[in-house]
Amino acid sequence: MLEQTPAKSPVDFWFDPLCAWAWMTSRWILEVEKVRDIEVRWHVMSLAVLNESKMDQAPATLRELESSMWHPVRVVTAAWQKHGSEILGPLYTALGTRIHNEGMGLTTEAIIGALNEVGLPADLIDYADQENFEFEAELRASHGEGIEKVGQEVGTPVIAVSGLDGEQIAFFGPVVTPAPKGEEAAKLWDGTLLVASVPGFYELKRTRTKGPDFSNL
């Protein structure tokens, strides 16, 4: 009789392609997937949605980026709706590599290049600045599902996973640079689950002394 392979624990990961810190965390969780029995499921959220009520008070540099903040997440959402959720992980990797690792930023060239890499039609770029975005409701619903688990005072990424007792654990982060590899990735995962599973635990933080380091990606 053949032994059944134990099912991997699903880990839900909400991301916005423009966030460099979420990108770092996403590369870490893919390392964790190699050394722990987890399976990542990707979901979209939006920093533009999260901050739209605060944009009037935001710095001028951020307000200037407001319209372009919507572009990648709209394209990703349209790809998800038209081609299925399985495309989210590969498309995020293709986008993040261009936006962050290669320094292309939130450009049309970066988005079209990512679409081409994963075999999606280039005309999905038309959704980037579409007025009355066709999949607005789906984007906001996915965003709301993630942010509801952790509250409004955080950003992206949001991670949700079942804890040792079967109860769902959700948290923002971890914020880390560079993305740990191998057993270092596993140690951070184990420690994050440990502290996040403690009832009443909310925050562990220190001042960032360096920016995102993509050198090992």
Side-chain angles (χ1 to χ4, degrees):
M1 186 175 179
L2 294 175
E3 292 186 4
Q4 291 186 336
T5 303
K8 294 187 175 184
S9 299
V11 174
D12 293 293
F13 190 109
W14 279 263
F15 69 93
D16 184 325
L18 71 84
C19 181
W21 292 105
W23 173 244
M24 300 295 297
T25 307
S26 74
R27 300 310 93 182
W28 161 72
I29 202 69
L30 289 177
E31 281 291 311
V32 176
E33 199 174 41
K34 299 174 185 177
V35 292
R36 292 291 183 267
D37 289 329
I38 68 167
E39 182 176 14
V40 182
R41 302 187 300 199
W42 303 97
H43 308 270
V44 293
M45 65 180 296
S46 170
L47 291 175
V49 171
L50 185 67
N51 293 296
E52 60 186 349
S53 64
K54 311 169 190 173
M55 199 56 69
D56 288 344
Q57 290 79 41
T61 52
L62 183 58
R63 293 199 301 273
E64 290 170 4
L65 288 173
E66 182 180 6
S67 61
S68 59
M69 287 171 65
W70 291 95
H71 293 175
V73 75
R74 280 177 177 161
V75 172
V76 169
T77 301
W80 157 43
Q81 290 299 303
K82 295 171 77 71
H83 298 276
S85 60
E86 295 79 10
I87 201 62
L88 285 173
L91 181 54
Y92 182 29
T93 292
L95 271 171
T97 299
R98 286 166 173 78
I99 293 171
H100 303 297
N101 295 10
E102 298 176 7
M104 295 178 69
L106 306 178
T107 60
T108 299
E109 292 75 17
I111 297 173
I112 290 178
L115 292 171
N116 288 335
E117 180 179 325
V118 299
L120 289 174
D123 62 7
L124 283 170
I125 191 65
D126 294 341
Y127 289 98
D129 55 2
Q130 184 186 62
E131 292 187 19
N132 301 315
F133 177 48
E134 181 178 346
F135 304 111
E136 183 83 11
E138 290 82 359
L139 169 58
R140 289 180 180 272
S142 180
H143 172 89
E145 182 185 5
I147 208 70
E148 183 180 356
K149 298 178 184 298
V150 290
Q152 295 289 332
E153 291 81 26
V154 301
T156 174
V158 169
I159 296 176
V161 62
S162 293
L164 298 177
D165 58 0
E167 292 293 321
Q168 189 177 64
I169 301 168
F171 48 88
F172 158 69
V175 176
V176 60
T177 187
K181 302 285 188 178
E183 279 306 309
E184 286 298 309
K187 284 168 57 179
L188 179 57
W189 175 249
D190 295 342
T192 300
L193 287 188
L194 185 63
V195 298
S197 65
V198 174
F201 176 83
Y202 293 108
E203 189 170 352
L204 180 67
K205 189 173 183 178
R206 58 184 174 185
T207 299
R208 300 176 202 171
T209 58
K210 60 187 295 188
D213 179 354
F214 308 127
S215 61
N216 68 343
L217 300 182

